Amino acid sequence: MPDVGEGLTEAEILKWYVQPGDTVTDGQVVCEVETAKAAVELPIPFDGTVHALLFEEGTTVDVGQVIISVQTGEAQAPEAAAAAVAPAPAAAPVAAEAPEEPAAAARQPVLVGYGVSQASTKRRPRKAAPAAQNGSAAAALPAVPAQPEAAPAAPAAPAGLNGNGHAAGERPLAKPPVRKLAKDLGIDLASVVPTGEGGVVTREDVHAAAAAAITPQTAVPAPAPAVSAAAAPTGAQAEAPAAGDARETRVPVKGVRKVTAQAMVNSAFTAPHVTEFITFDVTRTMKLVQELKEDPDLAGLRINPLLLIAKAVLVAIRRNPDVNASWDEAAQEIVLKHYVNLGIAAATPRGLIVPNIKDAHAKTLGELSTALSELVATARDGKTSPADMQNGTITITNVGVFGVDTGTPILNPGESAILAVGAIKLQPWVHKGKVKPRHVTTLALSFDHRLIDGELGSKFLADIAAVLEHPRRLVTWA
């Protein structure tokens, strides 16, 4: 499992596009994984034949673990196959059995990200597994966790063992992430029966122990948080919520939901938030939207109120450039940005994400419309890349599509402000001295008070409203 370049530690396998026996070519996409930020397709950096898929769909895998075995040349001799497993630190995110090639000193090619450096994944030496009957190196890799080999009948525990395969008084063998998982779930590793090579306790072993512990008491909530249960979508633990007498359902916190939760907590308790509101008449903007939809020069483009709101924000930033900044805590500096990467909060089946339109300030109305449409479509398809969500400056969140008047949005980490757009409704409004039905909306602007004081924040919000109340200012103020 490669690090796609964002410093992530794990990813969930969403879908395999190949099966054992399939022929693959260099650069062919073999699977889709979901990181904490987005769904990413992984290509294979080899030509060969798929020998085994080492993890099932829905499994969360640590970065650096081998997920697929590909035979690239002639089968190795049994001795070479066994030896190929021993240098685990040199394992690439996608394993291949090239015949008797020396391990490269540099990181191996993975096409996605930079791979895993040899020095970063050192592990204790493992015993070599017996070679498979066909003599291929792939058969010497650990068994697929979701399809373990049938365990032989357990003999009586010899003297010095605790009955679970661990020597009495010896610390059970497990990777640090597995130890943390056991701690989070309240599982004593010494009580877990290991199925990994060399007596190593795996994630699946811990989840099996946790499932066995909670099965007889379905209605009693587990004492540990559900975050670490992301890698156990099947088995007794998944079946427990379906019990007829269950009063609670626990949903693992992972992927986009997990990173969003962490980001919101960090933002709320790092940047001092201030939120201001303004309610105003947008009837002229709604009329302009209809006129632009009929404009032949904009045929084929998606024209809606959000497009003009985005343009109004860009005009207001130009009039109040100091709002477009970030806080550098380490250097104790305010970084003024001379570009606008406009974030658009998007609700997706995997959770809330905030991709941004790069250099939105330099785009025409038509270019901005195209960028918005592509951003939304990519987000809904789950194809937003991590790069699309980096280096945002200011964000718009359109809660009005849910019929909500407005809200108090939390800043996207590293940004100075976020604008919540409420529902646009026909309301009685005083216009030219008479009460008339007018299109009215409410905007809410949350901003970082370290960067933006009350005066600047108020002027910025008032300018956005002024543009939308009299959209001719899109021209006169631009």
Side-chain angles (χ1 to χ4, degrees):
M1 177 66 69
D3 177 355
V4 295
E6 299 302 314
L8 303 173
T9 60
E10 62 182 19
E12 178 184 351
I13 297 176
L14 295 179
K15 184 177 180 62
W16 283 108
Y17 296 120
V18 295
Q19 295 298 325
D22 290 353
T23 300
V24 292
T25 58
D26 188 351
Q28 177 181 339
V29 173
V30 295
C31 70
E32 181 181 23
V33 301
E34 182 183 39
T35 68
K37 296 185 177 182
V40 179
E41 291 183 334
L42 298 184
I44 194 86
F46 307 105
D47 293 334
T49 303
V50 177
H51 178 273
L53 307 180
L54 303 185
F55 292 91
E56 284 190 339
E57 294 176 358
T59 305
T60 299
V61 183
D62 292 331
V63 167
Q65 283 191 284
V66 178
I67 61 174
I68 184 173
S69 173
V70 178
Q71 186 160 348
T72 60
E74 297 179 359
Q76 295 178 340
E79 296 79 5
V85 183
V94 183
E97 294 77 31
E100 311 225 351
E101 289 185 2
R107 297 185 180 189
Q108 298 190 24
V110 295
L111 297 187
V112 178
Y114 296 97
V116 181
S117 62
Q118 295 181 357
S120 65
T121 55
K122 289 185 178 179
R123 303 173 184 168
R124 63 174 60 86
R126 307 270 183 87
K127 294 181 180 179
Q133 294 180 358
N134 62 5
S136 70
L141 292 170
V144 182
Q147 299 175 353
E149 296 179 0
L161 297 182
N162 64 1
N164 289 321
H166 306 296
E170 181 182 338
R171 189 184 188 207
L173 299 178
K175 299 177 186 177
V178 176
R179 293 185 183 279
K180 182 179 183 301
L181 173 61
K183 181 179 178 182
D184 291 342
L185 295 177
I187 300 298
D188 181 4
L189 280 176
S191 67
V192 178
V193 178
T195 62
E197 182 184 358
V200 176
V201 178
T202 66
R203 279 178 173 268
E204 289 69 27
D205 297 337
V206 174
H207 283 302
I214 66 172
T215 298
Q217 38 183 323
T218 303
V220 180
V227 175
S228 301
T234 61
Q237 188 173 4
E239 294 173 1
D245 57 349
R247 294 167 60 87
E248 296 180 353
T249 298
R250 290 180 173 265
V251 180
V253 181
K254 58 183 179 178
V256 175
R257 175 65 61 188
K258 183 176 181 179
V259 76
T260 299
Q262 293 171 344
M264 292 298 96
V265 170
N266 292 339
S267 177
F269 291 98
T270 301
H273 285 54
V274 174
T275 305
E276 294 185 339
F277 308 87
I278 188 168
T279 302
F280 58 100
D281 181 359
V282 291
T283 303
R284 293 184 179 90
T285 289
M286 298 304 292
K287 290 180 179 178
L288 178 58
V289 168
Q290 294 302 317
E291 292 173 2
L292 293 176
K293 286 182 176 180
E294 299 171 2
D295 190 329
D297 292 336
L298 299 176
L301 298 179
R302 183 177 177 81
I303 308 297
N304 55 25
L306 180 60
L307 174 62
L308 295 187
I309 292 169
K311 199 65 177 177
V313 169
L314 296 172
V315 170
I317 290 174
R318 184 170 182 176
R319 288 171 56 84
N320 304 274
D322 288 350
V323 304
N324 194 41
S326 63
W327 183 272
D328 188 335
E329 181 66 26
Q332 286 295 291
E333 295 176 340
I334 293 175
V335 183
L336 298 175
K337 300 181 179 180
H338 308 301
Y339 59 90
V340 181
N341 291 343
L342 185 63
I344 304 293
T348 74
R350 295 186 177 93
L352 177 70
I353 63 173
V354 187
N356 58 74
I357 301 173
K358 307 299 188 205
D359 294 324
H361 65 287
K363 296 185 181 298
T364 64
L365 190 66
E367 292 170 343
L368 191 61
S369 173
T370 300
L372 270 172
S373 298
E374 292 175 350
L375 178 149
V376 172
T378 302
R380 287 178 177 170
D381 292 341
K383 303 298 183 182
T384 302
S385 69
D388 292 335
M389 293 181 280
Q390 291 181 331
N391 302 319
T393 56
I394 289 179
T395 289
I396 298 174
T397 176
N398 186 10
V399 298
V401 295
F402 306 108
V404 176
D405 290 335
T406 192
T408 54
I410 297 176
L411 294 171
N412 202 31
E415 299 183 8
S416 60
I418 179 170
L419 181 74
V421 180
I424 299 175
K425 301 178 180 178
L426 274 175
Q427 296 183 17
W429 195 262
V430 177
H431 177 67
K432 296 181 179 180
K434 296 181 180 180
V435 177
K436 298 181 179 180
R438 305 285 289 182
H439 286 98
V440 176
T441 192
T442 299
L443 301 181
L445 179 73
S446 291
F447 53 86
D448 186 341
H449 215 344
R450 298 173 300 177
L451 296 164
I452 303 173
D453 58 24
E455 179 185 10
L456 178 59
S458 299
K459 286 182 176 179
F460 178 57
L461 181 58
D463 280 352
I464 297 173
V467 171
L468 295 173
E469 195 165 15
H470 298 282
R472 65 175 181 273
R473 288 175 174 146
L474 287 170
V475 177
T476 60
W477 283 4

